[in-house]
Amino acid sequence: MMRRYRWSGLAVAAAIMLPFLLSKFQTFQATQIMVYAIAILGLNLLTGYNGQISLGHGAFYAIGAYVTAILMDQAGAPYWAAIPVAAIICFGVGFLFGFPARRLGGHYLALATFALALAVPQLLKWRMIEHWTGGVQGVFLDKPGAPFGLPLNSDHWLYYLVLAHVVLLFWCAANLLRGRIGRAIRAIRDQPVAAETAGIDIARTKAIVFGVSATYTGIAGALSALVIQFVAPDSFPFFLSIYLVVGLVVGGASSLWGAFLGAGFITMVPNIAAEISKGATGLIYAVAMIALMYWLPQGISGGVQRLFVCVSRRRRTAHPSGEG
Amino acid sequence: MLHQLVSGLMTGAIYGIVALSLVMIFNATNHINFAQGEMAMFSTYVAWMLINAGLPYWAAFGATVALSFVGGMALERMVLRPFRDAPLLSIVVVFVALLLAFNALAGWIWGYVLKKFPSPVSQFSTGTSLIGAHELFVVAVTVLMLTVLFLFFRFTRLGLSMRAAAQNPVSARLVGIRVGRMLTLGWGLAAAIGAIAGMLVAPIVFLDPDMMGGILLYAFASALLGGIDSPAGAVLGGLIVGVGENLLGAYVVGNDIKLTVALIVVISVLIVRPRGILGRITVRRV
């Protein structure tokens, strides 16, 4: 039990210390990375583990953010109540989308979600719902401060709020994937026919995974609304969906902690590349994606894991009696 | 009403051409090319650059189509070929990467400011307000292209070889068709058709790196509606989607959620009739 959580525990401890070493802007960036990590984890559950390719997860991110913003702005709901509501709504939308999508194999699902990604930015500007969404202007939110008189400034509080979600959601995902359901999810990806023969209800499982995935990405969207304190259609462009895919590919499909690598990549690269040109970001993404697909289809995390396996195998052969 | 119908047919023709290029690649490789719109956009920028360099329109048109043809073939050879046997996720990721790459490159080279693109028939007038000269031109080019492609795939040796290579690669190889070469050719043709579509659409929507986003969605809807493997279906689907979009936009839902209508078309076709109007049913053995 303790062994299993050794590395995760160390990482969380380090993450708790981190804001005291970082500047205000760096703390914001770290928070942003964790938000993206949750979104990418959601996409990974669907695409990496279940084999359902989604190019439209930006839509669920946007829904999560908008539900939170509207609840806080229109209904005066506190943020801690708005996030679970956003999560539930995203599960519903994701499940409903996944329900018909379960019949769509492979690239047809990619196509349907691609269409979703293209349509949602325009839908957010729809005049009929402008009253709630604020139209093109969007919605401004207040910055949540630390509760119970904790001696934290609001940037640090946001950081810890997001960190708490990261820990909870990654723990849930790890548990989900370890058990029977996790095996079913992977079986559907690798051998759908065999999975069905083994009694797995493919349609239902796929729809539920879609819902769970949308929930994760929706929670990330909800947190992003709090972190940035502003939602507008332009915050959720079509390319957001694509960037999430970039993060997934760079971090590595089918590895949970890869999501952090991917999130770091899509947060940091634009900052660095913007100094060269606005187009440089996209180009770096594209080259990284193709190169990784060519040499490391499992992403950076997959590459690192392979390296570990190689090293430990070599050590085992060098010291046959040792544990390795 | 009549005007909406006519302009619907015109936009429909454009969707049809983009859909046609999607169908070309689907027929050659069984993949849906998510980068098709951005490839067309990039070609159109090349045409814009050639025209600005002083070339007459038709020379630039021809050169762009030729360059796109070569570019499409090069893309297949150098980028896509290594992934021929890769899992679907890898291939989709590569398409997405191409989409990003073309969008970013165009923005980097030519900037993000809207540019005007000329129409070769702008000095003519049709003498009626019902249909503009450029609209007529678009429809004419679409009909011409569909006819040429139909004849090409029906009656020429090369066209038949391409169809054979796509439908049954193993048997095609046995009768001496170079299947790999046919794939390359299919990509070249798709890129060339996309370039023509881009040059037709640019005078209407202006030139910018994101100009094809919406059009690509409609083109997907058209291709699916008509049948993703049927060139005639692509154009038919394009016309239906174009007219439907214009009428719905003008009279029912308004212009600001038209893309959502396309999304609904995509999903409903996929669920109700995945093979579209004119598509073939494919039965897969498991």
Side-chain angles (χ1 to χ4, degrees), chain A residues 213-266:
Chain A
S213 163
T215 310
Y216 270 70
T217 307
I219 292 176
L223 291 170
S224 87
L226 295 177
V227 171
I228 301 168
Q229 292 112 41
F230 174 58
V231 294
D234 290 339
S235 329
F236 310 101
F238 158 70
F239 277 103
L240 174 64
S241 297
I242 301 297
Y243 294 160
L244 292 179
V245 177
V246 176
L248 173 71
V249 170
V250 170
S254 340
S255 120
L256 289 181
W257 57 273
F260 289 101
L261 293 176
F265 187 78
I266 61 172

Side-chain angles (χ1 to χ4, degrees), chain B residues 29-267:
Chain B
T29 62
N30 265 322
H31 292 305
I32 295 169
N33 181 8
F34 293 102
Q36 189 67 53
E38 313 302 299
M39 282 163 57
M41 176 273 297
F42 198 81
S43 298
T44 315
Y45 266 105
V46 172
W48 178 84
M49 205 171 66
L50 292 175
I51 291 172
N52 266 28
L55 246 62
Y57 181 88
W58 287 108
F61 188 94
T64 304
V65 172
L67 281 175
S68 305
F69 184 72
V70 176
M73 292 202 296
L75 209 57
E76 199 278 333
R77 273 284 145 150
M78 298 192 299
V79 182
L80 272 311
R81 185 57 64 89
F83 295 100
R84 192 151 50 151
D85 301 316
L88 182 65
L89 179 60
S90 303
I91 292 167
V92 171
V93 165
V94 171
F95 280 134
V96 169
L98 286 178
L99 185 161
L100 269 171
F102 280 117
N103 190 282
L105 264 181
W108 197 341
I109 302 174
W110 292 292
Y112 291 90
V113 187
L114 291 182
K115 290 182 171 51
K116 245 176 105 83
F117 193 85
S119 163
V121 291
S122 53
Q123 71 273 31
F124 300 112
S125 160
T126 49
T128 151
S129 64
L130 194 61
I131 181 163
H134 184 72
E135 304 180 349
L136 208 60
F137 175 64
V138 168
V139 175
V141 171
T142 309
V143 172
L144 182 73
M145 257 173 42
L146 190 62
T147 319
V148 169
L149 280 176
F150 174 77
L151 296 175
F152 174 71
F153 280 113
R154 193 72 184 254
F155 294 112
T156 67
R157 195 182 166 75
L158 191 61
L160 286 170
S161 307
M162 282 180 69
R163 276 170 60 196
Q167 277 178 12
N168 195 337
V170 179
S171 306
R173 190 168 281 128
L174 285 177
V175 296
I177 295 169
R178 303 285 297 263
V179 173
R181 204 167 282 176
M182 295 300 134
L183 283 185
T184 313
L185 212 56
W187 265 83
L189 270 182
I193 297 170
I196 295 174
M199 286 184 280
L200 290 179
V201 94
I204 305 166
V205 299
F206 295 100
L207 194 53
D208 95 293
D210 295 325
M211 75 176 196
M212 295 303 278
I215 294 167
L216 184 65
L217 177 50
Y218 288 120
F220 276 136
S222 312
L224 283 172
L225 190 63
I228 188 87
D229 53 5
S230 154
V235 174
L236 179 69
L239 294 179
I240 295 173
V241 169
V243 171
E245 175 224 338
N246 255 21
L247 292 182
L248 278 177
Y251 300 108
V252 187
V253 296
N255 277 324
D256 50 354
I257 56 158
K258 287 203 295 195
L259 287 174
T260 308
V261 175
L263 168 69
I264 294 170
V265 170
V266 167
I267 294 176

